[in-house]
Structures are given as structure tokens and as C-alpha cells.
Amino acid sequence: MRITKRVYLSYLVPLMALISYAAECLPQFLLIYGAAVAHELAHVTVCVALGERVRHIFFMPYGVAAKTAIIRDPLRQMLISAAGPVFSLLLGLLCASLTWYLPWSGLRFFMMVNFSIFLLNLCPALPLDGGMLVRSALSCGMGYVLPQRFMMRITRVFGVILVLFGIIFLIISKFNISLLVIGAFLLYNLKDEGRALVHFNRLALSDTVKRQSGVLPVRCIGVDSSVDARYVTRYFGYHYICVISVFDPQRKKLGELTQQQLLDGILSRHTGITAGELLGK
């Protein structure tokens, strides 16, 4: 359901509120959802303060999700990713200090919710903030593609572990499905991370690298002519352009490909094409 041009509300949110009201736990639902909103608004605030563009904000049953334009600076991405957990921690500490003066059970519950959100987001799995922080840190020296693929593997491992422990916890507790839901969410979200990788390769490379005084940052790499062109994209980054030198088995240079030429060749011909074939060698 569209609220404004950039803000959307899932129909399941008011439905969950009605269910919570019928189950006489509406205050707890509002406190949990309020903590999730505060966490995401911290991300949005830092994102806007750094001059990055927030495309959409989605109010979903599990919380709030903000979609931004591609952030090319890994350090900025780290600051934006860290803002949510830090704010949740500070909000939890504030509630902890207030519980000494305000003996309201809801305040203690709100404190525990914020601490839980903080701890959950320390998990190094995408799209959680811990995973975003690790990916951004690796991107500083490895470009975008390799860290993204590495974090997708880590996320798959964490997702499977959480699902397995979630099943065990469900059997023991008879009703608690929290770990099972989190693990399933991480595994389900992998398809979105895969799409993000494809989108980045297609749209966010050569045409969007920022020019500084008319100078483009360039990284040169060399590959054998028999190398699959898709493999080369692992070394692409979002703060430099790659120039690929292609060599034959005798290490004789056959020619060069620009980053965009390689991408256009992969997309317009077939995914199994080699670097040498793109040169016509």
C-alpha cells in the first residue's frame, strides 16, 4: 500500500496489529515495531546526512526496510550500516538507566527489544548490518564482487545453522520459532543479494565511477585468453574502472578490453565466452 511517493506500507502490518490487539498483546507489538522503526530511521538519517539518496522506505511485518541508491564509497556504507546497531544500543542503554527511576514493565521490555536488535545485527550475514559492515570493509581492498560473493556464502552458512538450531529450539520450547524465522529469512534473502550483484555488474560500473578533476581511477589486470569473462568481473569495483590486458599461453599480449566492453560482450553474446573470444582471438 503506497502512502507517499517513497513510503510504502504492507497490508500485513495493520493485520498484525489487529491480531495483537485480539491477543491482548498490542502494547508489546507496538514497542517491538517502534524499536525496529527507530533502528531503520537511524540508517536513513545518516544516509541523508552523507548526501546519499534513499529511494524507498517499506514498512513490512518484520520491521522497516530502506532501499538506497548504490553507495559506491565503502566507508560511507560502513557508517550507514553502523548507525542502526549503535542507535539501538544507545536506546537500550537509555532505557536501562531510566528503569531505575521509572518502574514501568514496558520500559524494561523496550530495553530488551533494543538490545536484541543490536545483537541480532552483529551477525555477519546479509542483509543484516553486521554483514554489510564486513562486506564494506572487504570492499575497500577487494572491489565489490568478490566480497559480495563471499558474504553470500557466509550468509548461506549462517542461515542453515540458524534453521537447524531453530528446529531444535522449537522442539524444546514447543512454541518459539524466532531462530527458525531468522534463518529462513536469511536464506530467502539470498536471491535478492544475487540480483543486487547482477544489477551492480550491469549498471553501476563504468558509467557511474566518479570523475575527479577529469581523471578516472583505473586498475589494470591481466588474464589468460582462455579465462571465462565472467570470472574477470570478480575484480570489478565501484570506485575504479578496470582495464583488462589479455595474454596468450606464451604470455604474449593479444590486446586490451575495457570494463564496459567485457560486460557488453557477456550480456550481448553468451555467458560462457572467454576473454580471448571477446577480442576475436
Side-chain angles (χ1 to χ4, degrees), residues 158-178:
F158 268 93
V160 171
I161 291 174
L162 286 174
V163 167
L164 293 177
F165 275 94
I167 293 173
I168 296 172
F169 193 50
L170 176 61
I171 294 172
I172 295 174
S173 65
K174 305 299 183 183
F175 67 93
N176 197 318
I177 62 170
S178 55

Side-chain angles (χ1 to χ4, degrees), residues 93-143:
L93 292 173
L94 176 63
C95 293
S97 62
L98 290 176
T99 53
W100 291 94
Y101 308 100
L102 300 173
W104 176 46
S105 60
L107 187 61
R108 186 177 297 275
F109 180 78
F110 191 61
M111 173 193 72
M112 296 305 298
V113 170
N114 278 284
F115 284 150
S116 298
I117 291 175
F118 166 71
L119 292 173
L120 172 63
N121 279 279
L122 291 182
C123 177
L126 298 173
L128 301 178
D129 297 324
M132 300 289 283
L133 283 167
V134 174
R135 187 187 69 185
S136 300
L138 294 174
S139 296
C140 292
M142 299 172 60

Side-chain angles (χ1 to χ4, degrees), residues 122-217:
L122 291 182
C123 177
L126 298 173
L128 301 178
D129 297 324
M132 300 289 283
L133 283 167
V134 174
R135 187 187 69 185
S136 300
L138 294 174
S139 296
C140 292
M142 299 172 60
Y144 178 88
V145 179
L146 279 177
Q148 176 72 0
R149 288 178 173 169
F150 172 74
M151 289 309 302
M152 287 174 67
R153 295 190 186 99
I154 296 297
T155 299
R156 185 174 288 106
V157 171
F158 268 93
V160 171
I161 291 174
L162 286 174
V163 167
L164 293 177
F165 275 94
I167 293 173
I168 296 172
F169 193 50
L170 176 61
I171 294 172
I172 295 174
S173 65
K174 305 299 183 183
F175 67 93
N176 197 318
I177 62 170
S178 55
L179 289 179
L180 189 60
V181 170
I182 294 170
F185 168 72
L186 294 180
L187 294 175
Y188 177 79
N189 186 72
L190 281 174
K191 66 175 186 178
D192 290 331
E193 297 299 334
R195 281 200 294 262
L197 188 58
V198 174
H199 176 74
F200 181 86
N201 280 341
R202 291 186 177 183
L203 303 178
L205 294 168
S206 300
D207 295 336
T208 56
V209 174
K210 293 183 178 178
R211 291 172 169 82
Q212 298 178 355
S213 302
V215 178
L216 287 171

